[in-house]
């Protein structure tokens, strides 16, 4: 597929306009395809929240249940680093295990998450974890709020069946 697209794009009468939002974008194509595609790279970081940057397109958290949320989470998941994926799995598993059917789930304490991530060697400092959480917040993968004790608490704005289906989906891969 890539070579066919590259061959088509190399024709002088064909012009290809594309956009990609992936941390490893330059690694997706081999050198031969890249030379045929003759891409011009522009970093167009807007530093806007993900919903504004995506131009109002359906985002992961626009709808909180169903296949759309699962498919959207899958696309964002593909661009995460291995450590980021492990951190997110910790948050999902904690929420599934600790949320009850009422709306009183307080969330996952930042300090507890930091302790677990540090024990698993996923982060070296709380600043590194905060940087990762900023990435999650930008893509609406987590929400944070202050608790009654003044601590920060994290929640994933998805229902339990969707989170469970997501974990089953990534376990299959």
């Amino acid at each position: 597929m890539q070579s066919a697209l590259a061959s088509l794009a190399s024709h002088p009468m064909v012009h290809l306009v594309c956009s990609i939002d992936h941390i490893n974008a330059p690694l997706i194509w081999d050198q031969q395809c890249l030379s045929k595609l003759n891409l011009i790279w522009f970093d167009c970081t807007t530093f806007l929240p993900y919903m504004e940057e995506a131009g109002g397109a359906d985002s992961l958290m626009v709808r909180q249940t169903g296949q759309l949320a699962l498919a959207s989470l899958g696309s964002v998941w593909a661009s995460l680093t291995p450590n980021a994926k492990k951190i997110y799995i910790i948050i999902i598993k904690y929420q599934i295990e600790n949320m009850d059917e009422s709306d009183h789930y307080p969330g996952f304490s930042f300090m507890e998450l930091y302790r677990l991530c540090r024990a698993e060697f996923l982060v070296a400092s709380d600043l590194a974890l905060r940087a990762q959480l900023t990435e999650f917040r930008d893509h609406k993968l987590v929400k944070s709020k202050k608790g009654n004790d003044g601590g920060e608490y994290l929640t994933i704005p998805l229902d339990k069946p969707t989170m469970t289906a997501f974990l089953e989906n990534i376990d299959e891969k």
Side-chain angles (χ1 to χ4, degrees):
M1 180 66 146
Q2 285 185 351
S3 60
L5 181 62
S7 295
L8 181 63
S10 67
H11 190 279
M13 298 300 289
V14 174
H15 300 281
L16 176 68
V17 178
C18 60
S19 171
I20 190 163
D21 181 15
H22 194 285
I23 193 167
N24 295 320
L27 303 175
I28 293 174
W29 297 279
D30 61 30
Q31 283 303 106
Q32 185 178 8
C33 284
L34 278 175
S35 66
K36 285 182 179 179
L37 287 169
N38 197 24
L39 296 173
I40 300 173
W41 297 91
F42 290 99
D43 180 8
C44 300
T45 305
T46 63
F47 299 106
L48 293 172
Y50 184 72
M51 276 302 292
E52 291 178 46
E53 191 175 310
D58 275 342
S59 176
L60 166 62
M61 301 308 155
V62 171
R63 300 185 191 147
Q64 296 198 1
T65 60
Q67 289 301 106
L68 177 63
L70 202 53
S72 298
L73 180 54
S75 348
V76 173
W77 182 260
S79 69
L80 295 176
T81 64
N83 280 359
K85 290 177 180 180
K86 290 175 186 173
I87 292 168
Y88 198 69
I89 288 172
I90 290 171
I91 299 170
I92 287 180
K93 286 182 176 178
Y94 181 89
Q95 184 162 325
I96 289 172
E97 291 169 7
N98 293 287
M99 72 188 299
D100 51 13
E101 297 307 317
S102 72
D103 292 331
H104 302 301
Y105 172 68
F108 195 174
S109 163
F110 171 81
M111 292 310 295
E112 178 66 12
L113 176 62
Y114 173 64
R115 187 188 66 74
L116 289 173
C117 291
R118 179 95 179 185
E120 295 288 324
F121 300 103
L122 299 174
V123 295
S125 68
D126 68 329
L127 287 175
L129 180 57
R130 287 189 190 283
Q132 189 55 63
L133 291 175
T134 299
E135 179 76 16
F136 292 161
R137 281 188 207 99
D138 287 349
H139 291 285
K140 307 290 189 249
L141 297 176
V142 297
K143 290 182 177 180
S144 61
K145 61 183 176 183
K146 292 286 182 189
N148 294 337
D149 61 357
E152 182 179 1
Y153 288 85
L154 307 164
T155 57
I156 296 172
L158 290 173
D159 61 5
K160 196 172 187 175
T162 305
M163 289 187 292
T164 305
F166 173 72
L167 283 178
E168 290 169 359
N169 190 15
I170 62 171
D171 284 343
E172 290 173 3
K173 294 178 182 178

